[in-house]
């Protein structure tokens, strides 16, 4: 492979002709031994045992699942080096919930924003969280089924003081365990006929869990959340599950929600939470001044699946246990059986919202109809098209730079085809459009209906709510008026309103509104990893090639344009990368505000 870094990464800058773009003055840099990344993540595959299940091949970050906590501040540029230490698998790292508009090659989506990191290479991700987006996030691989275990918490602290006061914050990271390993699951999901992954065998809290799966006990040790009496804790709940739509509650402790998906909300008291795959909440938990016992259970259950998986953790007021806590013999709680509409219309922004696009401002409504098709393999389609990382010949962002039309979406073809370009299978949008995106649930070929947590990259949308049948803007506007201002999220649920109906019947919608401002290639997809592999992903290209290239020119990005190109480092070579966000000096790798 031609190795171009010396000749290519010069300091010649693309002239920034597009006046409304923030001129970021990108710079080329070689990340040699003088460069120190702000954090390093090493991804391996090892045989480990989780919960009460036998050892199997598992993708780990720094040797654990979940991987280490990353804690960064808004308004500062960071470089995080992700090593692919796996022998035979590609890797990317996605910063779930962050907008990567500042550094579009660093969103971590294989074949969308970047070529994946080849085995035994590493890639330096540039991360810059705009002021106002502090909150709870996570990172995970976006390749195949790797995110089931190749994931960890990512906390963004505010530049100034938090609007809520608490004594300490604690992470409650939810994950699933499957009996089959990741590669077997992936192969089964694309097989014809489908070979299902199996249901979640356990819901883990911070990497541990026991309880029961489909009525069979799993007597494995539990995580503890250590607390002291009479204090206020900010619990950061992270839906890192692959499949489980979790319902959870603590014994004798209520929760006050203060954040959803990286935005502070007005406080909202609840006795339980529902967290779909990809969602996050922060909630204040006020510990009892005089607890009657030293331990209280946290009970977590799956919802909307054919079998029930139940896991536990322990809120511990006592001494750190010398022998691990085990699941209870008797059920401590009965969690609510409802799922639809949880907190929809109920949460409101803490600060007066800026720039909410009104119904009158909407320039285009795109209905994305999701449907399960059974022809040979079982696949999920959006407006008739499935998308998986095996579909494109090269990443869309690479095509925009190459200007070769290979995966370049056509607005004309898309407008004639319900918003999706049938050739590139991308949904293009122009900068300045105000989109209403409606996700429509339909009866599958065989009539079944399912629940889908829909996640958007690139920006946080305004969540307009959800309902049965089809979206009606006028009646939903009335509902919004009655309830109060919507919030911005990056992952919200498409519910099911029956378990079966007939093929193609519209039953259930979710609606979002978004101003198209950030040029780049952004995915919108169901966050259930099984569904993603079965095609439930879409590509959105915001801006045309002039606008995408407005950031930096072709010569500088040459190293991004080939698989294993010079932006990917390895044992024998340092990567040559572009610094997209402003750097003040050669050593201003961090704290550059
Ligand atoms: C390392 O990279 C820096 C910044 O790109 C450069 O100034 C320096 O000369 C390089 N050092 C070596 C030993 O290559
Ligand atoms: C991950 O492990 C590497 C060494 O293997 C270490 O240098 C790095 O600091 C660890 N990362 C975190 C976030 O703890
Ligand atoms: C993991 O276990 C499998 C099957 O037991 C074995 O073939 C493989 O070598 C093991 N891998 C590692 C990294 O130990
Ligand atoms: C890694 O990604 C490249 C580029 O998309 C692809 O050609 C290759 O088959 C992938 N390798 C594996 C092991 O999936
Ligand atoms: C769940 O348990 C029931 C009753 O034992 C059994 O019939 C069913 O096959 C199990 N389902 C799964 C997915 O294991
Ligand atoms: C939530 O409950 C706590 C404790 O009862 C109370 O202090 C707080 O005011 C409540 N918050 C709201 C928004 O009602
Ligand atoms: C779990 O195992 C412990 C001993 O290891 C035992 O005391 C307890 O009764 C078991 N619990 C269940 C639910 O089987
Ligand atoms: C909860 O709902 C499911 C499916 O809607 C139903 O099968 C189950 O019996 C319900 N459980 C309770 C306790 O109502
Ligand atoms: C892309 O290619 C077309 C012709 O193939 C050319 O007209 C256009 O200027 C190119 N765009 C850029 C940004 O280089
Ligand atoms: C379901 O409806 C679609 C669209 O009308 C049709 O193409 C498909 O064959 C139907 N599936 C079955 C199993 O009848
Ligand atoms: C949703 O609408 C369908 C069709 O009108 C109806 O059959 C179903 O019962 C509704 N579901 C709920 C939960 O209201
Ligand atoms: C891209 O859009 C901008 C703004 O609408 C326009 O000025 C420019 O000519 C467009 N470029 C291409 C290649 O269509
Ligand atoms: Cu789904």
């Amino acid at each position: 492979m031609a190795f171009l870094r010396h000749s290519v990464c010069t300091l010649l800058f693309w002239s920034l002709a597009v006046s409304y773009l923030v001129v970021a003055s990108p710079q080329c840099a070689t990340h040699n031994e003088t460069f120190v990344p702000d954090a390093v993540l090493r991804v391996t595959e090892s045989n480990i045992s989780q919960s009460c299940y036998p050892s199997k091949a598992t993708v780990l970050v720094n040797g654990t699942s979940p991987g280490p906590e990353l804690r960064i501040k808004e308004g500062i540029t960071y470089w995080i080096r992700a090593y692919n230490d796996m022998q035979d698998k590609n890797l990317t790292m996605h910063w779930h919930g962050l907008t990567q508009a500042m550094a579009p090659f660093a969103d971590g989506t294989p074949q969308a924003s970047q070529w994946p990191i080849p085995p035994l290479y590493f890639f330096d991700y540039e991360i810059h969280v705009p002021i106002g987006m502090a909150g709870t996030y996570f990172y995970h691989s976006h390749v195949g089924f790797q995110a089931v275990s190749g994931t960890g918490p990512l906390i963004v602290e505010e530049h100034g003081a938090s609007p809520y006061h608490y004594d300490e914050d604690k992470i409650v990271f939810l994950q699933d365990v499957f009996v089959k390993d990741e590669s077997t699951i992936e192969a089964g999901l694309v097989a014809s006929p489908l070979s299902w992954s199996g249901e979640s065998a356990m819901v883990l809290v911070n990497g541990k869990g026991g309880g029961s799966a489909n009525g069979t006990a799993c007597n494995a040790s539990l995580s503890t959340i250590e607390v002291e009496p009479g204090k206020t804790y900010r619990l950061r709940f992270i839906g890192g599950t692959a499949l489980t739509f979790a319902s959870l509650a603590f014994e004798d402790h209520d929760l006050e929600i203060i954040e959803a998906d990286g935005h502070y909300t007005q406080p909202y008291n609840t006795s339980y939470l529902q967290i779909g795959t990809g969602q996050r909440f922060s909630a204040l938990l006020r510990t009892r001044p005089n607890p009657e016992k030293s331990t209280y259970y946290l009970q977590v259950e799956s919802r909307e699946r054919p079998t029930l998986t139940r896991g536990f953790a322990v809120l511990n007021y006592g001494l750190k246990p010398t022998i691990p806590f085990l699941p209870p013999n008797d059920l401590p709680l009965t969690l609510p059986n409802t799922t639809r509409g949880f907190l929809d219309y109920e949460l409101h922004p803490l600060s007066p919202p800026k720039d909410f696009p009104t119904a009158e401002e909407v320039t285009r409504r795109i209905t994305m109809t999701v449907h399960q098709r059974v022809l040979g393999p079982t696949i999920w389609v959006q407006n008739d098209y499935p998308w998986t990382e095996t579909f494109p010949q090269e990443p869309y962002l690479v095509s925009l730079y190459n200007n070769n039309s290979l995966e370049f979406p056509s607005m004309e073809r898309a407008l004639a085809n319900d918003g999706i370009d049938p050739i590139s299978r991308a949904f293009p949008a122009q900068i300045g459009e105000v989109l209403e995106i409606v996700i429509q649930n339909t009866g599958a070929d065989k009539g079944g209906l399912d629940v889908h947590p829909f996640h958007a990259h690139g920006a946080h949308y305004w969540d307009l709510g959800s309902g049965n049948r089809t979206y009606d803007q006028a009646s939903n506007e009335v509902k919004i008026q009655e309830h109060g201002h919507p919030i911005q999220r990056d992952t919200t649920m498409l519910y099911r309103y029956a378990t079966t109906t007939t093929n193609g019947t519209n039953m259930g919608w979710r609606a979002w509104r978004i101003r198209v401002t950030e040029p780049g290639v952004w995915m919108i997809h169901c966050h259930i990893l099984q569904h993603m592999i079965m095609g439930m992903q879409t590509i959105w290209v915001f801006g045309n090639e002039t606008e995408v290239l407005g950031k930096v020119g072709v010569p500088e990005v040459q190293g991004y344009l080939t698989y294993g190109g010079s932006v990917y480092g390895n044992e024998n070579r340092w990567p040559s990368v572009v610094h997209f966000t402003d750097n003040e000096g050669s050593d201003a790798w961090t704290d550059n505000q």
Side-chain angles (χ1 to χ4, degrees), residues 110-129:
Q111 303 305 98
S113 62
Q114 71 169 121
W115 291 101
I117 310 168
L120 310 179
Y121 280 74
F122 63 86
F123 183 77
D124 288 347
Y125 284 95
E126 183 174 15
I127 288 178
H128 184 104
V129 182

Side-chain angles (χ1 to χ4, degrees), residues 404-423:
N404 60 6
S405 302
L406 211 52
E407 304 295 349
F408 197 91
S410 148
M411 194 71 187
E412 206 173 51
R413 290 195 302 257
L415 289 176
N417 192 46
D418 301 324
I420 185 171
D421 166 21
I423 308 289

Side-chain angles (χ1 to χ4, degrees), residues 39-44 59-68 70 79-86 89-100 103-111 113-118 121-127 137-144 146-154 173 389 455 457 522-523 525 527 568:
V40 169
L41 299 175
R42 300 210 71 128
V43 179
T44 55
V59 175
L60 303 174
V61 183
N62 274 24
T64 60
S65 178
L70 294 177
W79 285 89
I80 303 180
R81 178 165 292 178
Y83 281 91
N84 182 0
D85 293 335
M86 298 182 287
K89 285 183 173 159
N90 287 325
L91 173 77
T92 59
M93 204 52 89
H94 170 60
W95 318 97
H96 181 104
L98 300 189
T99 173
Q100 286 292 75
F105 285 106
D107 193 39
T109 47
Q111 303 305 98
S113 62
Q114 71 169 121
W115 291 101
I117 310 168
Y121 280 74
F122 63 86
F123 183 77
D124 288 347
Y125 284 95
E126 183 174 15
I127 288 178
Y137 297 86
F138 63 120
Y139 61 84
H140 61 76
S141 171
H142 221 283
V143 172
Q146 291 173 13
V148 66
S149 56
T151 180
L154 168 61
F173 197 95
E389 63 198 54
H455 172 57
H457 295 219
W522 311 117
M523 295 188 70
H525 61 89
H527 214 274
Y568 299 88

Side-chain angles (χ1 to χ4, degrees), residues 544-558:
N544 60 31
E545 71 263 41
T546 320
E547 289 153 339
V548 173
L549 267 61
K551 288 182 187 289
V552 59
V554 173
E556 290 80 12
V557 300
Q558 207 63 48

Side-chain angles (χ1 to χ4, degrees), residues 371-374 384 443-446 503-504:
H371 183 78
Q372 192 195 62
R373 202 186 273 167
V374 189
D384 287 336
D445 267 8
K446 291 181 175 170
N503 181 12

Side-chain angles (χ1 to χ4, degrees), residues 340-341 344-345 365 367-370 436-442 449-450 452 454 463-477 479-480 492-497 505-512:
R340 290 184 279 266
D344 287 348
Y345 306 95
R365 179 176 307 135
T367 301
M368 197 163 93
T369 302
V370 303
E436 210 164 76
I437 299 174
V438 178
I439 307 167
Q440 178 66 53
N441 214 346
T442 64
L449 284 155
D450 214 333
H452 309 282
F454 264 88
D463 183 49
L464 303 181
S466 66
N468 197 358
R469 295 177 286 272
T470 54
Y471 173 66
D472 174 62
Q473 192 193 55
S475 58
N476 197 55
E477 285 299 303
K479 207 166 166 184
I480 289 173
T492 44
M493 303 299 301
L494 180 63
Y495 294 104
R496 63 174 176 185
Y497 292 80
T505 299
N506 288 329
M507 208 187 278
W509 56 270
R510 175 116 232 149
W512 302 342

